[in-house]
Amino acid sequence: MDDSVRQHKYVLAEDQMPTTWYNLVPDLPAPPPPPLHPGRMDPVGPDDLAPLFPMDLILQEVTGDRYVDIPGGVLDVYRQWRPSPLFRAHRLEKALGTPARIYYKYEGVSPAGSHKTNTSVPQAYYNAKDGTTRLTTETGAGQWGTALAFACALYGIECEVWQVGASYDSKPYRRLMIETFGATVHRSPSDLTDVGRQLAADPANWSGSLGIAISEAVEVAAKDPKTRYSLGSVLNHVLLHQTIIGEEALLQLELAGDTPTLIVGCTGGGSNFAGLSFPFLREKLAGKIAPQILAVEPESCPSLTKGVYSYDFGDTAGMTPLMKMHTLGHDFIPDPIHAGGLRYHGMAPLISHVKELGLLDAVAVPQSECFAAAVQFARTEGIVPAPESSHALAIAVRQALAAKETGEETVVLTALSGHGHFDLAAYDAYLSGTLVDEAVRGDRFDESLAALPTVG
Amino acid sequence: MDDSVRQHKYVLAEDQMPTTWYNLVPDLPAPPPPPLHPGRMDPVGPDDLAPLFPMDLILQEVTGDRYVDIPGGVLDVYRQWRPSPLFRAHRLEKALGTPARIYYKYEGVSPAGSHKTNTSVPQAYYNAKDGTTRLTTETGAGQWGTALAFACALYGIECEVWQVGASYDSKPYRRLMIETFGATVHRSPSDLTDVGRQLAADPANWSGSLGIAISEAVEVAAKDPKTRYSLGSVLNHVLLHQTIIGEEALLQLELAGDTPTLIVGCTGGGSNFAGLSFPFLREKLAGKIAPQILAVEPESCPSLTKGVYSYDFGDTAGMTPLMKMHTLGHDFIPDPIHAGGLRYHGMAPLISHVKELGLLDAVAVPQSECFAAAVQFARTEGIVPAPESSHALAIAVRQALAAKETGEETVVLTALSGHGHFDLAAYDAYLSGTLVDEAVRGDRFDESLAALPTVG
């Protein structure tokens, strides 16, 4: 009888849950370039952001503090599913025949099924405290829309979600889950906004993008003083909220008595990756550990590996501040791949800055390799991963197989950011052999990169 | 700022996880009537069951031991998601404005998303130990098929699932998840079996039933010596495996410092309900606590409330042993309600016996009331319940509202047996107002009850 089905879970007690979020900025050798006002072209101040965000979140966006206290009310909600488990992937390792040790931090245990609740809850909390009665947002695959709908239901805030057309069409259950939580979902581009009507006129925009959906949600929020906007990734305060993942994982690897040689996460806007890796980067900068830190993106939307580091808009219509980031151009429309959460033209400015500082690496993978890893993971570890998370798994598998060849000691830590219960049509395509890899054409970026705004 | 969003979770450490399953039989004032051989009409012996089940499971089926050790290999797998959390439903209580305290044991944290893994893992474990290379089974809503597919993937056993036609058609994502775990799914009635071909000739059988799917899976297993059959509910050994739910809940309520006045669970075959309630019934029989123990079934398939207590077949074709149980007749085909897991004509013999002894009560509810409770639960507690589990929630809500009127101290404990991520089309029907309640027509049972087998 084979005993290799054993599973190791590293659990923290509730009173070991971190009570602060970690801000990487003060530990960096240089501060990140500031966002610029799109009209004035000078750094935006808190007042510029006030129409869209409550002041508590704006202050977190610009804080120089190393640690930010998590409010008691947010901790109370976090405790429904946190601390989240860290697993050693014994069964996957065995199937791969690798000497590598693979750990995954599983965020799919949250009510909404992904890491996104780590930030939706504090965002709804601070908005409720400030009297916001309605929040608008974008969503790609739907993980973020679900998470914000959940959080808004808790605090009695109305929630309106613009979902990227390609995902809206292919994932009806995601929309239904968001509606079950009481929120409203619109297919983006929609006819409810000026920008939606304008962009929908071009058939190339019909599948939508996160950039377009952001423009729509921002437009609606900007027009109504009781409505604010909520973003699921990219911004500093969102990355900040996600650092609870890495802080917990640090404690859990200590329980496991192990030290990672590679920390790998998928990147769309970058919040899951930053949440996992920044606390480890702090330890690396302090000379305590020396893992490689690796971001994985889809070949069809490779902002870190093929984009330029430049000021660009966060949305397609150019309504947001200009952010210095790795970008494929704000009007780039990625192929409608299954990992809808990774279809964003840019990258979090803070992650982009860290990459420029040489503190992280990036790699792009095709989706077929991701689904192959995801199915192997499901059949060994028992969890069906979100297509986004599968990008990190693909690299974990690559590294584990490499370790088998080289014999080099390899300890992989990855964040399994969410489950794929609403992505099974994509698994069906993979299993039935109809899933194709995105065409990777550099010339597609040329046009959108040529349209970057001129700064300074 | 409202602080009522707090959530209380009662967590057990891994080393507090029970290491034995509990067998209620020796604690009952009288033993349950034995199953009978369908040909000989005398009690079945272990050898009669050997073509379908490994001897370890057969011995558990008939054991008189009060406690059965959980094998170390099974405990290792359980630890991936167990001990499962017990939650106090503060947010639901507040929305109801009730003084009642509501606790729910959440089994949706398992990889397959329901309590069914508590038995699929030991069943696959004992089969693997015994050299079984293929397992066949039935599934209704798909929770059981998913759980067995997961367990078979762990132990390298081929898995073939007959899914009830009504569920196969309405829940494609369930089938896809089972396939992602590597199992094969057939729509039942299928043309792969004699019984399937025969029953499919009558259009009334086209929507299928658990009884039909069981017949098909049993037929295939009986024909091949390396293939065995696995059942997701009803049998003693299945109920036994589920008692880990109640054993954990007992410890967790002790942590909470509370004592239930009502224990409520949904019943299809009865394993989830038995798993939660039997350990509490032990304590009640010992005079330590005095909760009401209440089974909830759908109005369209009310075996406990409208069936007769009689010997009947477990499947539609009459291939299984005869079991003394509450039944609507083995050829009764329930309406295709959304709670596919509750569409079973009979009830676990052990639960039926306990009801005859006057140790539990039963009630039937219409599905609209269940979905109303489920949506309220989702919007407060953040978890979208399986339609099966929502039956117990409907009664929890009824009792909580009654407590508001009477002021009587009410402490409800329920098992939230699984999540409803694959049932969102049903939620859509409810939210859009197209969900209708099943017609409850007593005359529909008359025919199937008249066809009960004659015994003795």
Side-chain angles (χ1 to χ4, degrees), chain A residues 204-260:
Chain A
N205 292 325
W206 188 243
S207 65
S209 71
L210 282 165
I212 295 173
I214 293 171
S215 294
E216 295 203 87
V218 167
E219 178 185 319
V220 171
K223 282 180 178 166
D224 176 2
K226 297 296 279 181
T227 299
R228 285 212 172 92
Y229 166 71
S230 188
L231 186 65
S233 190
V234 179
L235 298 178
N236 291 348
H237 69 270
V238 181
L239 275 52
L240 178 78
H241 299 156
Q242 294 294 355
T243 57
I244 192 163
I245 302 174
E247 294 289 12
E248 287 182 1
L250 268 169
L251 298 172
Q252 287 165 311
L253 278 173
E254 206 172 296
L255 282 181
D258 217 341
T259 306

Short mmCIF file of all heavy atoms in Angstrom, two decimals, chain A residues 204-260:
data_model
loop_
_atom_site.label_atom_id
_atom_site.label_comp_id
_atom_site.label_asym_id
_atom_site.label_seq_id
_atom_site.Cartn_x
_atom_site.Cartn_y
_atom_site.Cartn_z
N ALA A 204 -13.06 45.55 -32.59
CA ALA A 204 -11.84 45.03 -31.96
C ALA A 204 -11.93 45.10 -30.43
O ALA A 204 -11.24 44.38 -29.72
CB ALA A 204 -10.63 45.81 -32.44
N ASN A 205 -12.76 46.00 -29.94
CA ASN A 205 -12.89 46.16 -28.49
C ASN A 205 -13.97 45.28 -27.88
O ASN A 205 -14.19 45.31 -26.67
CB ASN A 205 -13.22 47.62 -28.15
CG ASN A 205 -12.05 48.54 -28.45
OD1 ASN A 205 -10.90 48.15 -28.29
ND2 ASN A 205 -12.35 49.75 -28.90
N TRP A 206 -14.69 44.53 -28.71
CA TRP A 206 -15.89 43.86 -28.23
C TRP A 206 -15.61 42.82 -27.14
O TRP A 206 -16.41 42.62 -26.22
CB TRP A 206 -16.65 43.23 -29.40
CG TRP A 206 -17.98 42.70 -28.99
CD1 TRP A 206 -18.40 41.43 -29.02
CD2 TRP A 206 -19.07 43.47 -28.42
NE1 TRP A 206 -19.68 41.32 -28.52
CE2 TRP A 206 -20.11 42.56 -28.13
CE3 TRP A 206 -19.25 44.82 -28.10
CZ2 TRP A 206 -21.31 42.96 -27.57
CZ3 TRP A 206 -20.45 45.21 -27.52
CH2 TRP A 206 -21.46 44.29 -27.28
N SER A 207 -14.45 42.14 -27.25
CA SER A 207 -14.14 41.16 -26.20
C SER A 207 -13.76 41.84 -24.88
O SER A 207 -13.72 41.21 -23.85
CB SER A 207 -13.01 40.22 -26.65
OG SER A 207 -11.81 40.95 -26.82
N GLY A 208 -13.51 43.13 -24.96
CA GLY A 208 -13.25 43.89 -23.75
C GLY A 208 -11.85 43.68 -23.20
O GLY A 208 -11.07 42.88 -23.72
N SER A 209 -11.54 44.42 -22.16
CA SER A 209 -10.25 44.29 -21.47
C SER A 209 -10.43 44.90 -20.10
O SER A 209 -11.38 45.65 -19.85
CB SER A 209 -9.14 45.03 -22.23
OG SER A 209 -9.34 46.42 -22.11
N LEU A 210 -9.50 44.60 -19.20
CA LEU A 210 -9.57 45.22 -17.88
C LEU A 210 -9.46 46.73 -18.00
O LEU A 210 -10.13 47.47 -17.28
CB LEU A 210 -8.47 44.65 -16.98
CG LEU A 210 -8.80 43.26 -16.43
CD1 LEU A 210 -7.56 42.58 -15.86
CD2 LEU A 210 -9.87 43.37 -15.34
N GLY A 211 -8.64 47.20 -18.95
CA GLY A 211 -8.47 48.64 -19.13
C GLY A 211 -9.78 49.34 -19.48
O GLY A 211 -10.07 50.43 -18.98
N ILE A 212 -10.57 48.70 -20.33
CA ILE A 212 -11.86 49.29 -20.71
C ILE A 212 -12.83 49.26 -19.53
O ILE A 212 -13.51 50.24 -19.24
CB ILE A 212 -12.47 48.53 -21.92
CG1 ILE A 212 -11.58 48.70 -23.17
CG2 ILE A 212 -13.89 49.02 -22.20
CD1 ILE A 212 -12.01 47.85 -24.37
N ALA A 213 -12.89 48.13 -18.86
CA ALA A 213 -13.82 47.99 -17.73
C ALA A 213 -13.49 48.98 -16.62
O ALA A 213 -14.38 49.54 -15.98
CB ALA A 213 -13.79 46.55 -17.20
N ILE A 214 -12.19 49.22 -16.41
CA ILE A 214 -11.78 50.22 -15.41
C ILE A 214 -12.30 51.60 -15.82
O ILE A 214 -12.85 52.34 -15.01
CB ILE A 214 -10.24 50.25 -15.25
CG1 ILE A 214 -9.76 48.94 -14.61
CG2 ILE A 214 -9.79 51.44 -14.40
CD1 ILE A 214 -8.23 48.76 -14.62
N SER A 215 -12.12 51.93 -17.10
CA SER A 215 -12.60 53.24 -17.57
C SER A 215 -14.09 53.42 -17.28
O SER A 215 -14.53 54.48 -16.82
CB SER A 215 -12.37 53.39 -19.08
OG SER A 215 -11.00 53.43 -19.39
N GLU A 216 -14.86 52.38 -17.53
CA GLU A 216 -16.30 52.48 -17.31
C GLU A 216 -16.64 52.67 -15.83
O GLU A 216 -17.44 53.53 -15.46
CB GLU A 216 -17.00 51.23 -17.86
CG GLU A 216 -16.86 51.11 -19.38
CD GLU A 216 -17.96 50.25 -19.99
OE1 GLU A 216 -19.03 50.78 -20.31
OE2 GLU A 216 -17.73 49.03 -20.12
N ALA A 217 -16.01 51.86 -14.99
CA ALA A 217 -16.31 51.94 -13.55
C ALA A 217 -15.86 53.28 -12.97
O ALA A 217 -16.55 53.87 -12.13
CB ALA A 217 -15.62 50.79 -12.81
N VAL A 218 -14.71 53.78 -13.44
CA VAL A 218 -14.22 55.07 -12.96
C VAL A 218 -15.15 56.20 -13.40
O VAL A 218 -15.48 57.10 -12.62
CB VAL A 218 -12.78 55.33 -13.47
CG1 VAL A 218 -12.37 56.78 -13.26
CG2 VAL A 218 -11.79 54.40 -12.75
N GLU A 219 -15.61 56.13 -14.64
CA GLU A 219 -16.50 57.19 -15.14
C GLU A 219 -17.76 57.30 -14.28
O GLU A 219 -18.16 58.40 -13.90
CB GLU A 219 -16.88 56.89 -16.60
CG GLU A 219 -17.85 57.93 -17.17
CD GLU A 219 -18.36 57.59 -18.58
OE1 GLU A 219 -17.54 57.12 -19.41
OE2 GLU A 219 -19.56 57.78 -18.83
N VAL A 220 -18.35 56.16 -13.95
CA VAL A 220 -19.59 56.17 -13.17
C VAL A 220 -19.33 56.71 -11.76
O VAL A 220 -20.09 57.52 -11.23
CB VAL A 220 -20.21 54.75 -13.11
CG1 VAL A 220 -21.37 54.71 -12.12
CG2 VAL A 220 -20.67 54.33 -14.50
N ALA A 221 -18.21 56.30 -11.16
CA ALA A 221 -17.90 56.76 -9.80
C ALA A 221 -17.61 58.26 -9.77
O ALA A 221 -18.01 58.97 -8.85
CB ALA A 221 -16.72 55.97 -9.25
N ALA A 222 -16.92 58.72 -10.80
CA ALA A 222 -16.52 60.13 -10.81
C ALA A 222 -17.72 61.05 -10.91
O ALA A 222 -17.67 62.21 -10.50
CB ALA A 222 -15.55 60.38 -11.98
N LYS A 223 -18.82 60.55 -11.45
CA LYS A 223 -20.00 61.41 -11.67
C LYS A 223 -20.93 61.53 -10.46
O LYS A 223 -21.85 62.32 -10.48
CB LYS A 223 -20.81 60.85 -12.85
CG LYS A 223 -20.20 61.18 -14.21
CD LYS A 223 -21.05 60.60 -15.32
CE LYS A 223 -20.46 60.97 -16.69
NZ LYS A 223 -21.06 60.15 -17.77
N ASP A 224 -20.72 60.68 -9.43
CA ASP A 224 -21.66 60.65 -8.31
C ASP A 224 -20.89 60.75 -6.99
O ASP A 224 -20.08 59.88 -6.68
CB ASP A 224 -22.47 59.34 -8.38
CG ASP A 224 -23.40 59.17 -7.18
OD1 ASP A 224 -23.45 60.08 -6.33
OD2 ASP A 224 -24.06 58.12 -7.11
N PRO A 225 -21.15 61.79 -6.20
CA PRO A 225 -20.37 61.99 -4.97
C PRO A 225 -20.53 60.88 -3.93
O PRO A 225 -19.65 60.71 -3.08
CB PRO A 225 -20.88 63.33 -4.42
CG PRO A 225 -22.07 63.70 -5.23
CD PRO A 225 -22.11 62.86 -6.46
N LYS A 226 -21.64 60.13 -3.94
CA LYS A 226 -21.80 59.05 -2.95
C LYS A 226 -21.26 57.72 -3.47
O LYS A 226 -21.31 56.70 -2.79
CB LYS A 226 -23.29 58.88 -2.59
CG LYS A 226 -23.92 60.09 -1.93
CD LYS A 226 -23.30 60.41 -0.59
CE LYS A 226 -23.88 59.52 0.51
NZ LYS A 226 -23.29 59.84 1.83
N THR A 227 -20.80 57.72 -4.73
CA THR A 227 -20.26 56.51 -5.33
C THR A 227 -18.75 56.61 -5.40
O THR A 227 -18.21 57.64 -5.81
CB THR A 227 -20.83 56.31 -6.75
OG1 THR A 227 -22.24 56.19 -6.67
CG2 THR A 227 -20.25 55.05 -7.40
N ARG A 228 -18.07 55.55 -4.99
CA ARG A 228 -16.63 55.53 -5.15
C ARG A 228 -16.24 54.32 -5.98
O ARG A 228 -17.05 53.46 -6.30
CB ARG A 228 -15.93 55.54 -3.79
CG ARG A 228 -15.98 56.91 -3.13
CD ARG A 228 -14.74 57.12 -2.29
NE ARG A 228 -14.64 58.49 -1.79
CZ ARG A 228 -15.12 58.90 -0.64
NH1 ARG A 228 -15.78 58.06 0.14
NH2 ARG A 228 -14.94 60.14 -0.24
N TYR A 229 -14.95 54.29 -6.30
CA TYR A 229 -14.43 53.26 -7.18
C TYR A 229 -13.48 52.37 -6.38
O TYR A 229 -12.80 52.83 -5.46
CB TYR A 229 -13.71 53.93 -8.36
CG TYR A 229 -12.84 52.98 -9.15
CD1 TYR A 229 -13.42 52.02 -9.96
CD2 TYR A 229 -11.45 53.06 -9.08
CE1 TYR A 229 -12.63 51.14 -10.69
CE2 TYR A 229 -10.65 52.19 -9.80
CZ TYR A 229 -11.25 51.23 -10.60
OH TYR A 229 -10.46 50.35 -11.31
N SER A 230 -13.43 51.11 -6.75
CA SER A 230 -12.58 50.16 -6.03
C SER A 230 -11.79 49.35 -7.06
O SER A 230 -12.37 48.86 -8.02
CB SER A 230 -13.50 49.26 -5.21
OG SER A 230 -12.77 48.45 -4.34
N LEU A 231 -10.48 49.24 -6.83
CA LEU A 231 -9.62 48.54 -7.80
C LEU A 231 -9.10 47.26 -7.15
O LEU A 231 -8.72 47.25 -5.99
CB LEU A 231 -8.48 49.47 -8.23
CG LEU A 231 -7.55 48.97 -9.35
CD1 LEU A 231 -8.31 48.81 -10.66
CD2 LEU A 231 -6.38 49.93 -9.55
N GLY A 232 -9.04 46.19 -7.94
CA GLY A 232 -8.70 44.89 -7.39
C GLY A 232 -7.23 44.54 -7.43
O GLY A 232 -6.82 43.47 -6.95
N SER A 233 -6.39 45.42 -8.00
CA SER A 233 -4.96 45.13 -8.08
C SER A 233 -4.21 46.45 -8.32
O SER A 233 -4.77 47.52 -8.12
CB SER A 233 -4.69 44.11 -9.19
OG SER A 233 -3.36 43.65 -9.14
N VAL A 234 -2.98 46.36 -8.75
CA VAL A 234 -2.17 47.47 -9.30
C VAL A 234 -1.72 48.51 -8.27
O VAL A 234 -0.54 48.83 -8.17
CB VAL A 234 -2.89 48.18 -10.48
CG1 VAL A 234 -2.05 49.33 -11.01
CG2 VAL A 234 -3.20 47.18 -11.60
N LEU A 235 -2.68 49.07 -7.50
CA LEU A 235 -2.33 50.19 -6.62
C LEU A 235 -1.59 49.73 -5.37
O LEU A 235 -1.71 48.59 -4.93
CB LEU A 235 -3.60 50.96 -6.23
CG LEU A 235 -4.34 51.59 -7.42
CD1 LEU A 235 -5.61 52.29 -6.95
CD2 LEU A 235 -3.43 52.57 -8.17
N ASN A 236 -0.83 50.67 -4.80
CA ASN A 236 -0.03 50.34 -3.62
C ASN A 236 -0.86 49.79 -2.46
O ASN A 236 -0.45 48.85 -1.78
CB ASN A 236 0.72 51.59 -3.11
CG ASN A 236 1.80 52.04 -4.07
OD1 ASN A 236 2.17 51.31 -5.00
ND2 ASN A 236 2.30 53.25 -3.87
N HIS A 237 -2.04 50.41 -2.23
CA HIS A 237 -2.81 49.96 -1.06
C HIS A 237 -3.38 48.55 -1.27
O HIS A 237 -3.59 47.82 -0.31
CB HIS A 237 -3.91 50.97 -0.68
CG HIS A 237 -5.04 51.10 -1.64
ND1 HIS A 237 -5.04 52.00 -2.68
CD2 HIS A 237 -6.23 50.46 -1.72
CE1 HIS A 237 -6.18 51.91 -3.35
NE2 HIS A 237 -6.92 50.98 -2.80
N VAL A 238 -3.61 48.19 -2.52
CA VAL A 238 -4.09 46.83 -2.80
C VAL A 238 -2.97 45.82 -2.54
O VAL A 238 -3.17 44.79 -1.88
CB VAL A 238 -4.60 46.72 -4.25
CG1 VAL A 238 -5.12 45.31 -4.53
CG2 VAL A 238 -5.67 47.76 -4.54
N LEU A 239 -1.79 46.13 -3.03
CA LEU A 239 -0.63 45.25 -2.79
C LEU A 239 -0.37 45.13 -1.28
O LEU A 239 -0.07 44.04 -0.77
CB LEU A 239 0.62 45.81 -3.50
CG LEU A 239 0.81 45.42 -4.98
CD1 LEU A 239 -0.41 45.69 -5.84
CD2 LEU A 239 2.04 46.11 -5.57
N LEU A 240 -0.50 46.27 -0.61
CA LEU A 240 -0.31 46.28 0.85
C LEU A 240 -1.22 45.28 1.54
O LEU A 240 -0.77 44.46 2.36
CB LEU A 240 -0.62 47.71 1.36
CG LEU A 240 -0.53 47.94 2.86
CD1 LEU A 240 0.93 48.09 3.28
CD2 LEU A 240 -1.34 49.18 3.27
N HIS A 241 -2.52 45.31 1.20
CA HIS A 241 -3.48 44.41 1.86
C HIS A 241 -3.14 42.94 1.60
O HIS A 241 -3.43 42.07 2.42
CB HIS A 241 -4.90 44.69 1.36
CG HIS A 241 -5.38 46.08 1.64
ND1 HIS A 241 -6.37 46.70 0.92
CD2 HIS A 241 -4.99 46.99 2.58
CE1 HIS A 241 -6.58 47.92 1.39
NE2 HIS A 241 -5.76 48.12 2.40
N GLN A 242 -2.57 42.67 0.43
CA GLN A 242 -2.28 41.27 0.10
C GLN A 242 -1.05 40.72 0.82
O GLN A 242 -0.82 39.50 0.82
CB GLN A 242 -2.09 41.11 -1.42
CG GLN A 242 -3.35 41.38 -2.24
CD GLN A 242 -4.47 40.37 -2.01
OE1 GLN A 242 -4.29 39.38 -1.29
NE2 GLN A 242 -5.63 40.63 -2.58
N THR A 243 -0.26 41.59 1.45
CA THR A 243 0.97 41.09 2.08
C THR A 243 0.70 40.14 3.24
O THR A 243 1.61 39.45 3.71
CB THR A 243 1.87 42.24 2.59
OG1 THR A 243 1.10 43.04 3.50
CG2 THR A 243 2.39 43.07 1.44
N ILE A 244 -0.56 40.07 3.68
CA ILE A 244 -0.85 39.10 4.74
C ILE A 244 -0.57 37.68 4.25
O ILE A 244 -0.25 36.79 5.05
CB ILE A 244 -2.31 39.26 5.26
CG1 ILE A 244 -2.49 38.45 6.54
CG2 ILE A 244 -3.33 38.86 4.18
CD1 ILE A 244 -3.69 38.82 7.36
N ILE A 245 -0.64 37.47 2.94
CA ILE A 245 -0.33 36.13 2.40
C ILE A 245 1.13 35.76 2.71
O ILE A 245 1.42 34.70 3.26
CB ILE A 245 -0.53 36.10 0.86
CG1 ILE A 245 -1.96 36.46 0.47
CG2 ILE A 245 -0.16 34.72 0.31
CD1 ILE A 245 -2.17 36.59 -1.05
N GLY A 246 2.03 36.65 2.33
CA GLY A 246 3.45 36.36 2.53
C GLY A 246 3.84 36.34 4.00
O GLY A 246 4.69 35.54 4.41
N GLU A 247 3.23 37.24 4.78
CA GLU A 247 3.55 37.25 6.22
C GLU A 247 3.17 35.92 6.86
O GLU A 247 3.92 35.37 7.68
CB GLU A 247 2.83 38.41 6.92
CG GLU A 247 3.28 39.80 6.49
CD GLU A 247 4.68 40.17 6.99
OE1 GLU A 247 5.42 39.29 7.48
OE2 GLU A 247 5.05 41.35 6.87
N GLU A 248 2.01 35.40 6.50
CA GLU A 248 1.61 34.09 7.04
C GLU A 248 2.55 32.99 6.51
O GLU A 248 2.96 32.10 7.27
CB GLU A 248 0.17 33.76 6.63
CG GLU A 248 -0.88 34.57 7.37
CD GLU A 248 -2.32 34.19 6.98
OE1 GLU A 248 -2.49 33.28 6.14
OE2 GLU A 248 -3.24 34.81 7.52
N ALA A 249 2.87 33.06 5.22
CA ALA A 249 3.71 32.01 4.63
C ALA A 249 5.09 31.97 5.29
O ALA A 249 5.67 30.89 5.48
CB ALA A 249 3.84 32.22 3.13
N LEU A 250 5.63 33.13 5.65
CA LEU A 250 6.91 33.17 6.37
C LEU A 250 6.83 32.36 7.66
O LEU A 250 7.72 31.55 7.96
CB LEU A 250 7.27 34.61 6.70
CG LEU A 250 8.13 35.39 5.70
CD1 LEU A 250 8.14 36.87 6.07
CD2 LEU A 250 9.56 34.85 5.67
N LEU A 251 5.76 32.59 8.41
CA LEU A 251 5.60 31.86 9.68
C LEU A 251 5.40 30.37 9.43
O LEU A 251 5.89 29.51 10.18
CB LEU A 251 4.38 32.41 10.45
CG LEU A 251 4.47 33.89 10.87
CD1 LEU A 251 3.13 34.36 11.44
CD2 LEU A 251 5.58 34.08 11.90
N GLN A 252 4.67 30.05 8.37
CA GLN A 252 4.37 28.64 8.10
C GLN A 252 5.60 27.88 7.61
O GLN A 252 5.79 26.72 7.95
CB GLN A 252 3.21 28.56 7.10
CG GLN A 252 1.88 28.95 7.76
CD GLN A 252 0.77 29.25 6.76
OE1 GLN A 252 0.97 30.01 5.81
NE2 GLN A 252 -0.39 28.66 6.97
N LEU A 253 6.46 28.54 6.80
CA LEU A 253 7.68 27.86 6.37
C LEU A 253 8.61 27.65 7.55
O LEU A 253 9.38 26.68 7.59
CB LEU A 253 8.36 28.65 5.27
CG LEU A 253 7.78 28.40 3.87
CD1 LEU A 253 8.39 29.34 2.85
CD2 LEU A 253 8.01 26.94 3.44
N GLU A 254 8.53 28.55 8.51
CA GLU A 254 9.29 28.36 9.74
C GLU A 254 8.81 27.08 10.46
O GLU A 254 9.63 26.27 10.91
CB GLU A 254 9.09 29.58 10.63
CG GLU A 254 10.20 29.87 11.59
CD GLU A 254 9.98 31.22 12.27
OE1 GLU A 254 10.00 32.26 11.55
OE2 GLU A 254 9.74 31.22 13.49
N LEU A 255 7.47 26.92 10.51
CA LEU A 255 6.91 25.68 11.07
C LEU A 255 7.42 24.46 10.32
O LEU A 255 7.69 23.41 10.91
CB LEU A 255 5.38 25.67 10.95
CG LEU A 255 4.54 26.48 11.93
CD1 LEU A 255 3.06 26.28 11.62
CD2 LEU A 255 4.83 26.03 13.36
N ALA A 256 7.50 24.60 8.99
CA ALA A 256 7.95 23.48 8.16
C ALA A 256 9.46 23.28 8.27
O ALA A 256 9.98 22.26 7.83
CB ALA A 256 7.56 23.72 6.71
N GLY A 257 10.14 24.26 8.83
CA GLY A 257 11.59 24.18 8.95
C GLY A 257 12.29 24.23 7.61
O GLY A 257 13.33 23.59 7.40
N ASP A 258 11.74 25.01 6.69
CA ASP A 258 12.29 25.02 5.34
C ASP A 258 12.49 26.47 4.85
O ASP A 258 11.90 27.40 5.39
CB ASP A 258 11.36 24.28 4.38
CG ASP A 258 12.14 23.49 3.33
OD1 ASP A 258 13.33 23.80 3.12
OD2 ASP A 258 11.56 22.56 2.74
N THR A 259 13.34 26.62 3.84
CA THR A 259 13.65 27.94 3.29
C THR A 259 13.52 27.90 1.77
O THR A 259 14.13 27.03 1.13
CB THR A 259 15.11 28.33 3.64
OG1 THR A 259 15.29 28.23 5.05
CG2 THR A 259 15.42 29.74 3.17
N PRO A 260 12.73 28.79 1.18
CA PRO A 260 12.52 28.71 -0.27
C PRO A 260 13.75 29.15 -1.06
O PRO A 260 14.47 30.06 -0.65
CB PRO A 260 11.36 29.67 -0.51
CG PRO A 260 11.39 30.62 0.64
CD PRO A 260 11.96 29.87 1.80
#
